[in-house]
Structure formats: structure tokens, C-alpha cells
Amino acid sequence: MAKLRVGLLFGGCSGEHEVSIRSAQAIARGLSDPANADRYELAPVYIQKDGRWLAGETAIGVLAAGVPLELGGVDAPAEASGETASETTALQAPNVAAVDRWQSTAQVGGVDVWFPILHGPNGEDGTVQGMLTLMQAPFVGSGVLGSALGMDKIAMKMAFAQAGLSQVDYKVVRRSQVYSNPCIFPKLCDEIEADLGYPCFVKPANLGSSVGIAKARTRAQLEAALDSAASYDRRLIVEAAVPAPREVECAVLGNDNPQASVVGEITYKSDFYDYETKYTEGLADLHIPANLPEAIARQIQEMSVRAFEAVDAAGLARVDFFYCESTGEVFINEINTMPGFTATSMYPMLWAASGVPFPELVDRLVKLALEER
Ligand SMILES: Nc1ncnc2c1ncn2[C@@H]1O[C@H](COP(=O)(O)OP(=O)(O)OP(=O)(O)O)[C@@H](O)[C@H]1O
Ligand SMILES: [Mg+2]
């Protein structure tokens, strides 16, 4: 049987570039596992932070090294880390080093299915998915609509509300209101105080990784948080804070018949799950499965599938919730349509604990991509 050629698209122009490389390493290992090795061959394509696409030996080298390529360094050796590419995976290098981003999918050639393991803006938001759709190339994960809805916190909340999913009270704010004349801005803050109170969370609508997010407890903090978030995005969201939330997450897998995994929990000591806590080793702990009442775990699984359907997701998604133990309330926070996929990420670990080991998970995702399109 001929092997399927999987185009592994990784790196990307977002703050989650480094995570994407580590996710791609794990997926490459999964697709090269003995269980899959006779089914797949890999064609990695690395998107540099400046948006340039690099294939062939260069991409293989970045995958082996596990660290971003210096900008401008197109023809870095594959052995950059001292590790050879062949040790990492059974990689098949297309004979292209640097490719123009608009021609790249055609030039890499012979790819049967794409695995765009790109997190955040310019990768998880429908942009790459639109390009692959235009190329008529099958790819893993959600299409344009699901990816765009999953990225934009305002559009996502509208879709969740329509599906009857419970979420915290929130208010949409435009940058122009924040940067407005001194009459409008105080009125905006008055309204936020009256409608949501303190503490509240101020977030750019489109970023991820907790970048630009701040918790405000006073008027001065609210003003500073709005000003800071407005520097990242034209559209902002302010949310009422859930008191002492337990942060629980559920993984979804499938297309028309999505299944939910066991539920996991993240604990940490910081005030909230901010950027530093997310990306500093040892500051957060995962608990799988989460120690929850059975009815709450079931409710979270059921809400995860509804959220998946509400945004028209496909293939995979991780759905994040706040569980308020004192009241028993569950609030949906967000859906991530291309969740972190490193060997120690919540998404694959939830599936491993649900009876789907990593190699089987990536195999199923590729099959779902082919089935979807
Ligand atoms: N309404 C809220 N109540 C309590 N805590 C919140 C609230 N909103 C956000 N937080 C805290 O801030 C963290 C980051 O917020 P959120 O998940 O909305 O953004 P994000 O993590 O940047 O998005 P992404 O997961 O797509 O990267 C949450 O994990 C949680 O710790
Ligand atoms: Mg989050």
C-alpha cells in the first residue's frame, strides 16, 4: 500500500511559534511510530516568524533541533542540534529549501493531507485553513468558520450563547472607545463597573496565550488594562471574574459524531493562568482525570460536544471551563481548535487517559481530515 504523504505545517507567525515546533515534533514522532510507519511519510514545512515558508532539509532541521530558526537563516544544516533528522522521524524531504508562501503548497508537491499544527493568529484562526481550502487540499482540524469562531472571543461567545451554553457576563469594547475623548472613556468605565463589577478580566478579542489579558480590581487597574489590551486588538472583551474558579478542560475528537474525553484540571499558584504560568516549566500542574463529581464531569463533556458543534469545529478541539465549586456552576470559557499538542499537552494526555494513545490519536486525526473533505 502506498504511503500517505502528510504535510506537517508548523512554526507560524504567532506568539505560540515555539509551542508549535514542540507540537510538531510530537506529531512527527506519533506518525512515525511503528503502528503508523507503514502508513505515512512526512513532508514538514516550517513557517518562520516573519511568515516565510521553508521546506526540505531546513524544515527537517528545525524539527530535529526543536528551536526556531534565526530569521534570515534559510539554509541551516539539518544537524543544528547535533541530532540528525533521521533520528527524529522517517522524514521525506521535498527537494525545496525556501518556498514562496503563496506557491508553497503546490511546490511541496505530492502532499495528500496537511496537518497545520499552528497555534494562535495566522494559523488557528481560519487564515491557513482558507488557503488550504482554496488549494482543495484535505487538512486536519476545523475549516475556515470553525477556526475563525474559535479564535475570536467575541464571535465565540455569540455562538455559545446561541447554543444555550452558560458563560460569564461580559461586555464588548472597541479600541475607539478606549482611545476616545475624555468624556466617553470615563462613561465606559462607569458602565463596566455597574454591569460587571470587580474583579473583572480585560482581554483582546484575538490573541491567546493570555497575552494582553489583565485582571482589574480597581478603577485605575481597569483603565490601565483597557489601555493595554487596546494596544493589541481593535476589539476587546471585559468579563466578570468567576470567584475561585477551578479550571477544567475536555478534549473533543471527531467530525459529525464528536466524542468527549475524560475531563482534566489545571492547578497553579499564581493569581490566574497567565502567560508566565502557562509557559514556565513547573508553575502549573495537570490532573487527569480531574477530581470532580460525576454529574459535573458529564455536564462538562456534554457542553464540550455542544460547543464543538456550535462553532462548527472539525477533527479536534479542547474546550476550557470554569467550575465554581461553591455554587456548583460550570461556565464555558473558550474552545481551542488547534490545542497544544506536545507530548505533555492536555489534549493528547486527555485522550491517552480515555484509551486513545498518541499514535492512534494522530492516525485518527489524519483519517478524519480525509473523511471531512
Ligand atoms: N472570567 C474569568 N474568571 C476567572 N478567571 C478568568 C476569567 N477569564 C480569564 N480568566 C483567567 O485568565 C486565563 C486566560 O484567559 P483565557 O483562557 O480567556 O485566554 P487565553 O488563555 O489567552 O486564550 P487561549 O487559551 O486561547 O490562549 C484563564 O485561564 C483564567 O485563569
Ligand atoms: Mg485559555
mmCIF file of all heavy atoms in Angstrom, residues 77 214 300 365:
data_model
loop_
_atom_site.group_PDB
_atom_site.id
_atom_site.type_symbol
_atom_site.label_atom_id
_atom_site.label_comp_id
_atom_site.label_asym_id
_atom_site.label_seq_id
_atom_site.Cartn_x
_atom_site.Cartn_y
_atom_site.Cartn_z
ATOM 1 N N PRO A 77 21.835 23.916 8.607
ATOM 2 C CA PRO A 77 22.016 22.477 8.443
ATOM 3 C C PRO A 77 20.995 21.674 9.232
ATOM 4 O O PRO A 77 20.533 22.118 10.278
ATOM 5 C CB PRO A 77 23.422 22.234 8.982
ATOM 6 C CG PRO A 77 23.703 23.401 9.884
ATOM 7 C CD PRO A 77 22.917 24.546 9.343
ATOM 8 N N ALA A 214 -5.570 41.080 31.506
ATOM 9 C CA ALA A 214 -5.295 41.569 32.863
ATOM 10 C C ALA A 214 -6.535 41.455 33.725
ATOM 11 O O ALA A 214 -7.661 41.509 33.233
ATOM 12 C CB ALA A 214 -4.827 43.022 32.811
ATOM 13 N N ILE A 300 -19.761 18.662 31.781
ATOM 14 C CA ILE A 300 -18.662 19.288 31.032
ATOM 15 C C ILE A 300 -18.458 18.579 29.685
ATOM 16 O O ILE A 300 -18.253 19.219 28.651
ATOM 17 C CB ILE A 300 -17.377 19.289 31.896
ATOM 18 C CG1 ILE A 300 -17.543 20.335 33.009
ATOM 19 C CG2 ILE A 300 -16.132 19.552 31.069
ATOM 20 C CD1 ILE A 300 -16.540 20.219 34.132
ATOM 21 N N LEU A 365 -6.823 11.458 13.538
ATOM 22 C CA LEU A 365 -6.985 12.842 13.058
ATOM 23 C C LEU A 365 -6.758 12.944 11.550
ATOM 24 O O LEU A 365 -7.490 13.640 10.851
ATOM 25 C CB LEU A 365 -6.033 13.776 13.813
ATOM 26 C CG LEU A 365 -6.482 14.095 15.241
ATOM 27 C CD1 LEU A 365 -5.384 14.802 16.015
ATOM 28 C CD2 LEU A 365 -7.760 14.937 15.225
#
